[in-house]
Amino acid sequence: MPNPPSPRILRQTFGDDDPRTLKIQGRQADVLARLDRQEEAVRSYDHILQALTRQTKPDQRWIARTRLQLEFLKLNPDDPQTVTAILNRIAVFETEFPSDAGFAESRQEQLVTTLLAVGQTKVAFQIMDSMLKQLRQQIRVDIWGMSAQQQADYLVFADGSRFFSAIAAAVGHLDSADVIRQSSEWLINGKGLVREAQSVQSGYRDDLQRRQSWADEPYVTATDVRQALPDGAVFVDLIRYDVSADSSSRENQSASHYAAWLTPKAGSQQIILLGDAQQIDSQIAELRTQLTQTARRVSEIGPAEAMAILKPALQAVSRQVWRPIAAACKESRLLIISPDQSTWLLPWSALLNDDDRTFAVETHRLQLELSGRDLLLQDNNDVGPAAIFADPDYGPVRNADAAPEGRGPGFIGKVPSVSALAYSAQEAAAARPALELVTGRPPVMLLGQQAEESRFKQLHSPAVVLLSTHGFFLASPDLPVDVADTGDPLLRCGLMLAGANRHRAIDQLDNDGVLTGLEILQSDLRHTQLAVLSACETGVGRLEATGGVIGLRRAFHLAGVRCVMSTLWSIPDLETALLVRNFFDSLTRTADVRSALQAAQRQRIQELRSRHGAAHPYFWAAFTVSGNCSRTSLQPSL
């Protein structure tokens, strides 16, 4: 491609005011500005501006852009008046030329970078705060009606690196209370946006009034979250962010880190830097591998030796993630955690305290939340009786692919036949009196052939639903081609109900006994307060940046369930039945679901230590709770 003609040749050929001449001069002025040759750049922009205004039909958009460039060249970062002048100019430009919003946004980012470089931190973060608030409002309007995948893709396009650049900048100012507060609010309002939109728009895609109402919902502040927290609690908000997004980051830092924003009920907020994200992700993956591998060797080498082999992996993650958070939270014993990326797959209750002997669940109550906004959700007691699905009659087992003992198919690539669970009926019998006590009426019992998919789909807001059965999550590389092509992770997870061994394909949304996440999403659980998913891998799925895990737990939350109790791995049948029995027994005596799960896990730890000298986490730590977990929501309606 030949080089463009020089400005001198263009002037000689077309004249000084010709648009072709001015465009080349504009490019040269941009280069001069980047080279800090300010005086030359100012002269060039001045000439372009004068030439444009002399034209018969001046290009107003071009004039406005050139004026903005001049304002930046004349900026004195220490003079609030010049900063205000640029902000006003940008605001006017956005109003007059909305189709050129990208240019205005780039000028805002340029202004922030300039202010941070000269130490004008307060003003820079005020501008970032305003930018992100405006962006969130616009995104809440735009993503309505899109599918979950379209929404996730749009967030990458619309948000780009701006959100993470702001987070990276905030991490560089740990001594500023204002910066910590503002950035904590970016996480509170930014995380979980796709799931929140999916929950609100379900069944209302064409309702423009509902769309605008959701878009206009108020920005949640750190003060709002503090007021929603129980006494003595700390909200722990984690994020995996790109360090290189902050221009002030050191070159020897790796690309991504984890950090945690701590918001206590009372006291100062703070940010805890947890370290290299790749290292933490690897430690979590290693821990999950070791949990399964050492559990399989328990009968061979004994529980104490299996725990000794597992301990180094537990210690590594605990030192990196849990102990810095626990130390910063001081005396607080209730931590409401919003994980990010692979920390969603972390068995938080099994992490080791400083003594290298006790588990986190022995000293703390733990609850997971997708975002801080979820803490403000209101309960609704307009619910029906609890429902228990247990001991399903799966139908004849095909010997070639029968599942091993446990509560998952144990077969990657398809959903195989499954065998009856020996302890599921006992689990249901133990849960029945507890659910009658906490809800005020007998639960609906659906066992054997009655534990049908069609009966689940007929539910209307049961107060509590317990599903004691086999569960599955199919990883993408191992999916059948027809399922992989859908791209929908909610078709890759499900629960096995009566007749499941006769099913044709998991992408069929009929009553074939395989209840997929997509079918759960379409169910009426709008006011259900608690779902106990006593099955394998109900808390795993596809990880989504700032959006949690897309799997069975997500499906139940999207369907309207306030609190979901789910599992992080393939759980053993007998130990699961014992823990769930202890959970429901504790639920009749304790204040909330968090306390009930903590009591049940502590009881299992004590029993295992007493019997075997060690309490391997595989047998008790798979269950986690997420969402609004207050027992008051389980009280019967008056």
Side-chain angles (χ1 to χ4, degrees), residues 20 30 40 186 277 377 407 597 634:
R20 287 164 288 191
D30 292 342
E40 295 173 78
W186 302 339
L377 293 175
R407 300 206 175 183
L597 179 58
L634 298 178

Side-chain angles (χ1 to χ4, degrees), residues 218-407:
Y219 194 76
V220 174
T221 68
T223 299
D224 295 331
V225 169
R226 287 180 188 269
Q227 292 174 348
L229 287 172
D231 290 340
V234 176
F235 178 54
V236 182
D237 210 352
L238 281 82
I239 192 72
R240 189 185 197 272
Y241 66 96
D242 187 357
V243 177
S244 63
D246 176 17
S247 59
S248 65
S249 62
R250 298 186 299 275
E251 291 183 1
N252 63 346
Q253 288 182 314
S254 62
S256 298
H257 279 197
Y258 279 104
W261 274 248
L262 308 184
T263 301
K265 177 72 173 181
S268 301
Q269 289 182 288
Q270 55 183 310
I271 299 175
I272 303 298
L273 304 183
L274 300 177
D276 178 77
Q278 185 175 356
Q279 180 182 15
I280 292 173
D281 292 343
S282 297
Q283 290 172 344
I284 293 172
E286 175 64 16
L287 173 58
R288 288 176 59 82
T289 299
Q290 288 295 323
L291 273 167
T292 303
Q293 291 182 351
T294 56
R296 290 173 180 164
R297 298 187 62 194
V298 165
S299 59
E300 171 195 347
I301 62 178
E305 181 61 25
M307 183 63 192
I309 297 173
L310 173 67
K311 197 168 185 178
L314 263 179
Q315 290 172 320
V317 181
S318 300
R319 283 193 292 264
Q320 193 86 29
V321 179
W322 169 246
R323 293 179 189 176
I325 291 174
C329 292
K330 299 178 181 178
E331 301 303 316
S332 297
R333 290 295 175 259
L334 171 55
L335 304 188
I336 300 176
I337 303 169
S338 175
D340 190 36
Q341 291 294 301
S342 63
T343 59
W344 274 104
L345 305 179
L346 188 60
W348 289 86
S349 61
L351 298 182
L352 292 170
N353 291 315
D354 284 337
D355 59 12
D356 262 341
R357 182 180 60 83
T358 59
F359 298 107
V361 74
E362 295 181 85
T363 55
H364 294 75
R365 283 179 293 157
L366 304 173
Q367 170 186 327
L368 304 183
E369 289 285 4
L370 182 59
S371 75
R373 293 182 67 92
D374 287 359
L375 293 170
L376 278 67
L377 293 175
Q378 298 297 314
D379 286 333
N380 188 318
N381 287 330
D382 184 16
V383 293
I388 297 177
F389 290 77
D391 194 24
D393 180 358
Y394 303 113
V397 175
R398 300 185 299 270
N399 292 329
D401 60 3
E405 290 186 6
R407 300 206 175 183

Side-chain angles (χ1 to χ4, degrees), residues 4 12 60 63 74 77 121 214 277 359 456 459 492 505 521 553 556 590 604:
Q12 291 174 351
Q60 297 299 330
I63 290 173
K74 297 174 182 178
T121 303
W214 180 68
F359 298 107
F456 179 89
L459 293 175
R492 303 173 185 177
L521 176 61
R553 174 170 55 196
F556 276 90
T590 58
R604 295 298 301 136

Side-chain angles (χ1 to χ4, degrees), residues 44-284:
S44 293
Y45 285 131
D46 271 333
H47 170 76
I48 294 168
L49 190 58
Q50 292 171 16
L52 288 172
T53 56
R54 286 196 298 266
Q55 293 177 358
T56 306
K57 295 182 178 180
D59 186 331
Q60 297 299 330
R61 173 177 164 275
W62 194 353
I63 290 173
R65 285 175 66 115
T66 305
R67 282 177 175 159
L68 256 180
Q69 299 285 47
L70 273 171
E71 292 281 2
F72 268 99
L73 287 173
K74 297 174 182 178
L75 171 66
N76 176 4
D78 296 320
D79 182 1
Q81 290 185 344
T82 61
V83 174
T84 301
I86 289 179
L87 289 174
N88 291 338
R89 181 77 68 186
I90 292 173
V92 171
F93 185 90
E94 286 181 309
T95 301
E96 294 181 348
F97 308 101
S99 62
D100 204 9
F103 177 77
E105 291 166 2
S106 66
R107 298 289 76 79
Q108 286 177 317
E109 292 168 359
Q110 180 183 349
L111 177 59
V112 167
T113 300
T114 301
L115 292 169
L116 287 175
V118 298
Q120 294 289 347
T121 303
K122 184 175 181 179
V123 179
F125 276 94
Q126 286 175 344
I127 296 171
M128 278 192 279
D129 190 54
S130 176
M131 289 169 56
L132 289 176
K133 285 178 178 176
Q134 292 175 8
L135 180 64
R136 289 291 157 222
Q137 173 102 18
Q138 187 59 48
I139 287 175
R140 289 173 75 89
V141 172
D142 292 344
I143 66 176
W144 186 271
M146 298 180 185
S147 69
Q149 187 58 54
Q150 289 171 335
Q151 289 171 339
D153 293 340
Y154 177 76
L155 278 179
V156 174
F157 165 76
D159 208 355
S161 62
R162 192 178 314 171
F163 175 80
F164 291 103
S165 295
I167 292 297
V171 167
H173 296 83
L174 301 181
D175 56 344
S176 171
D178 285 339
V179 169
I180 294 173
R181 175 189 54 77
Q182 289 171 330
S183 55
S184 75
E185 293 172 355
W186 302 339
L187 295 183
I188 290 166
N189 292 278
K191 291 176 70 174
L193 199 57
V194 167
R195 197 208 78 182
E196 188 183 344
Q198 288 292 99
S199 298
V200 175
Q201 77 180 23
S202 180
Y204 300 92
R205 288 177 184 268
D206 299 324
D207 189 333
L208 297 180
Q209 184 175 359
R210 190 180 181 91
R211 170 187 179 179
Q212 192 59 49
S213 175
W214 180 68
D216 290 339
E217 284 184 4
Y219 194 76
V220 174
T221 68
T223 299
D224 295 331
V225 169
R226 287 180 188 269
Q227 292 174 348
L229 287 172
D231 290 340
V234 176
F235 178 54
V236 182
D237 210 352
L238 281 82
I239 192 72
R240 189 185 197 272
Y241 66 96
D242 187 357
V243 177
S244 63
D246 176 17
S247 59
S248 65
S249 62
R250 298 186 299 275
E251 291 183 1
N252 63 346
Q253 288 182 314
S254 62
S256 298
H257 279 197
Y258 279 104
W261 274 248
L262 308 184
T263 301
K265 177 72 173 181
S268 301
Q269 289 182 288
Q270 55 183 310
I271 299 175
I272 303 298
L273 304 183
L274 300 177
D276 178 77
Q278 185 175 356
Q279 180 182 15
I280 292 173
D281 292 343
S282 297
Q283 290 172 344
I284 293 172

Side-chain angles (χ1 to χ4, degrees), residues 480-523:
V481 173
D482 57 344
V483 177
D485 287 344
T486 68
D488 192 337
L490 293 182
L491 268 178
R492 303 173 185 177
C493 57
L495 297 164
M496 312 289 275
L497 296 176
N501 288 345
R502 302 185 185 94
H503 81 280
R504 292 173 295 166
I506 62 174
D507 59 343
Q508 298 295 315
L509 303 183
D510 52 9
N511 294 321
D512 59 0
V514 179
L515 181 67
T516 64
L518 193 60
E519 292 171 301
I520 293 164
L521 176 61
Q522 298 167 355
S523 303

